């Protein structure tokens, strides 16, 4: 009688093992085996992290194995089991790998195919086609679209983390409890004694140091020491945690009536303002999106304010970007003056603080929440709904979707919901953040997610003209490495453009993203269909880059750049100044967040800047969804390219007072998971 050796690997995460009965059935081209109980006498099977082997004998030859069925039945009490993979050694000595990397819950069963990636056209037998179809039908019932707010990209249909499919939940829900994490962060930072002191103002700038954690030779300490300086203000538009807004100014907008007389003392080339614009030395950041957004009214004891500034910047002879004019509202007029570096010290400082506060709001809600978290959730849901586990693109993308739906669901449950943590300290809480996402959707285009294209569209692509834009330089290198890897994988499975066109599962995936994620808006530029391998490579690069590198660039620098409260105020408690010459240091301190909101803010940026336990960084694929040698070679090449980028960045950062490392691949998690 034919005998098979079956090896079963259990996950190593907490509670991955099981004491339940586990049964195996082999299904081959010539028939099925009987149902075998996998059990060794006097042995604790399927313990956490275990790899167990069993001999399985069948009555008759079942032919070439196509599927295996794993069933779990209750022994004492229900416990979930995380199955990593199963390998089967056939009677003739061949090894078959069956990747799983899923939870088997309750008294459920799971049917697995061998690990070779297959397009639908590659499946020749009815049983494999049927398995493929059933998997997607099951997934589409579990992963349903839902509108959280009108105009938002659609999200997962789940009210809380515990309602999610078990496979996409965090291993430990406690680990991503925002309330717990924020409170722990404030305890770790020794600021919990201030956290309930709402309405209580700080005495002066030095007083903010009472909640500032001094860590020598770090960016945060450098920011604290230099935040008032114009070079530091300008530098953050290039390499801070929101380096995506600055653009080259091709024409001074009419709503910002800056004259040559105003800025002449800031210009260093003996040129007129118009000539500086023509030479490409003038840059602009416009916070128009904040115009008309309602400020937070959830606390009747504290009136909070927002502004929609316009900031004009100049590249000086040292190639540093510095501010030369700031208007705090969108409509010019006598009560909306243009602040200048030549103004009184506190006038100019307060104008810059207002810009920094506005930048914080755009960063949190648009750059970070919408353009990485919500967009990546769209990619994740569409992947689970339309790509079966055997599809090469599912295998390629699934490591980059890890925990994304879970973290977003938890955020909707605790952080950005009505009366959530976001309302406690942010001027855009209480509904303003919702208005911002709704307004920002019109600018969420496919081309704006294509990193090189977006950099070029903003006129920021020249390394000679703008030599210190490390976000651009590192981002381009990481983008190219990802695209090269994706292209290698595509050419393994798609032999021609025609094969791309005929892949109905791929086309359904692309359509889901367009229809549900981008709400079918033609102006978004998201494709409804992909016809070439080249277009597919770019499309998949957008997905992976957004979920990994783009999120890392705008997330993990939050503590560095926002922990010194005056540099990134989450709220302002006095309205923007409407005239010059009246601002005092006392007025500035009264405008800044009170002690309680400062502490909540500090706890938030600390918690959001931390990597997950056992973080998986770009290019790390411990779950072997792919089993084919050509793909593993492509992965090795990818890791080599990433290592070269790490070395380049490390060398550049040597002895820099302000190192830029957010896009170093060894600091880029694979997915949006925090």
């Amino acid at each position: 009688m034919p005998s098979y050796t079956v090896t079963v690997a259990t996950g190593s995460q907490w509670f991955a093992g099981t004491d339940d009965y586990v049964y195996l059935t082999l299904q081959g081209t010539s028939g099925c085996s009987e149902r075998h109980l996998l059990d060794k006498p006097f042995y604790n099977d399927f313990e956490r992290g275990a790899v167990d082997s069993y001999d399985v004998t069948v009555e008759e030859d079942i032919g070439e194995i196509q599927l295996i069925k794993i069933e779990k039945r209750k022994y004492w009490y229900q416990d979930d089991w995380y199955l990593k993979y199963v390998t089967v050694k056939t009677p003739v000595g061949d090894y078959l790998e069956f990747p799983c990397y899923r939870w088997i819950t309750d008294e459920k069963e799971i049917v697995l195919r061998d690990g070779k990636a297959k397009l639908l056209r590659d499946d020749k037998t009815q049983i494999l086609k049927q398995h493929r179809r059933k998997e997607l039908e099951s997934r589409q019932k579990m992963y349903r679209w839902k509108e959280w707010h009108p105009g938002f990209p659609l999200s997962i249909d789940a009210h809380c983390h515990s309602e999610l499919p078990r496979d996409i939940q965090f291993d430990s829900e406690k680990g991503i409890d925002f309330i717990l994490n924020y409170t722990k962060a404030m305890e770790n930072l020794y600021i919990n004694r201030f956290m309930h002191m709402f309405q209580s103002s700080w005495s002066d700038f030095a007083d903010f140091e009472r909640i500032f954690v001094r860590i020598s030779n770090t960016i945060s300490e450098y920011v604290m020491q230099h935040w008032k300086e114009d070079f530091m203000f300008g530098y953050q538009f290039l390499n801070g945690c929101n380096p995506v807004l600055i653009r080259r100014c091709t024409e001074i907008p009419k709503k910002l009536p800056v004259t040559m007389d105003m800025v002449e003392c800031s210009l260093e080339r003996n040129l007129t303002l118009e000539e500086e614009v023509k030479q490409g030395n003038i840059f602009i950041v416009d916070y128009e999106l904040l115009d008309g957004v309602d400020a937070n009214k959830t606390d009747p004891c504290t009136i909070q304010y927002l502004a929609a500034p316009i900031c004009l910047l100049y590249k000086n002879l040292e190639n540093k970007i510095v501010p030369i004019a700031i208007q705090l509202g969108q409509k010019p007029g006598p009560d909306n003056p243009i602040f200048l570096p030549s103004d009184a010290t506190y006038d100019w400082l307060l104008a810059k603080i207002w810009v920094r506060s506005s930048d914080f709001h755009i960063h949190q809600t648009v750059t970070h929440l919408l353009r990485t978290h919500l967009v990546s959730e769209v990619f994740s849901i569409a992947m689970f709904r339309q790509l079966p586990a055997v599809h090469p693109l599912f295998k390629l993308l699934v490591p980059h979707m890890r925990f994304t739906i879970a973290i977003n669901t938890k955020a909707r449950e605790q952080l950005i919901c009505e009366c959530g943590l976001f309302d406690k300290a942010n001027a855009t809480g209480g509904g303003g953040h919702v208005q911002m996402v709704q307004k920002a959707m019109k600018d969420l285009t496919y081309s704006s997610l294509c990193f090189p294209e977006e950099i070029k569209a903003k006129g920021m692509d020249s390394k000679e003209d703008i030599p210190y834009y490390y976000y651009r330089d590192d981002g381009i290198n990481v983008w190219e490495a990802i695209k090269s890897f994706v292209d290698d994988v595509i050419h393994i499975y798609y032999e021609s453009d025609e094969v791309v066109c005929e892949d109905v599962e791929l086309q359904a995936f692309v359509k889901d993203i367009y229809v549900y994620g981008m709400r079918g808006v033609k102006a978004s530029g998201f494709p409804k269909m992909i016809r070439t391998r080249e277009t597919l490579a770019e499309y998949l690069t957008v997905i992976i880059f957004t979920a990994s590198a783009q999120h890392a660039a705008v997330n993990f620098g939050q503590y560095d750049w926002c922990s010194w409260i005056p540099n990134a105020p989450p709220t302002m408690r006095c309205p923007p100044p409407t005239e010059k010459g009246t601002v005092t240091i006392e007025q500035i301190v009264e405008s800044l967040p009170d002690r309680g909101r400062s502490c909540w803010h500090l706890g938030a940026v600390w918690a959001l800047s931390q990597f997950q336990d056992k973080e998986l960084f770009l290019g790390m694929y411990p779950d072997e969804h792919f089993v084919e040698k050509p793909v593993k070679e492509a992965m090795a090449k990818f890791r080599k390219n990433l290592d070269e980028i790490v070395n380049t960045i490390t060398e550049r950062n040597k002895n820099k007072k302000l190192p830029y490392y957010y896009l170093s691949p060894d600091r880029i998690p694979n997915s949006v998971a925090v």
Side-chain angles (χ1 to χ4, degrees), residues 333-349:
D335 60 348
N336 187 19
I338 296 175
F339 292 93
L340 307 165
S342 55
D343 289 340
T345 300
Y346 291 137
D347 283 0
W348 181 235
L349 182 60

Side-chain angles (χ1 to χ4, degrees), residues 253-295:
K254 290 180 180 177
K255 63 182 180 178
L256 181 66
V258 176
T259 65
M260 178 63 183
D261 287 343
M262 290 179 182
V263 298
E264 187 174 11
C265 61
S266 296
L267 307 182
E268 299 178 352
R269 294 179 175 84
N270 295 319
L271 300 172
T272 66
L273 178 60
E274 191 176 320
E275 288 169 338
E276 294 278 18
V277 170
K278 285 181 181 174
Q279 286 206 4
N281 297 323
I282 304 296
F283 300 84
I284 193 166
V285 179
D286 189 348
Y287 297 91
E288 183 180 15
L289 186 127
L290 283 164
D291 194 32
V293 171
D294 294 330

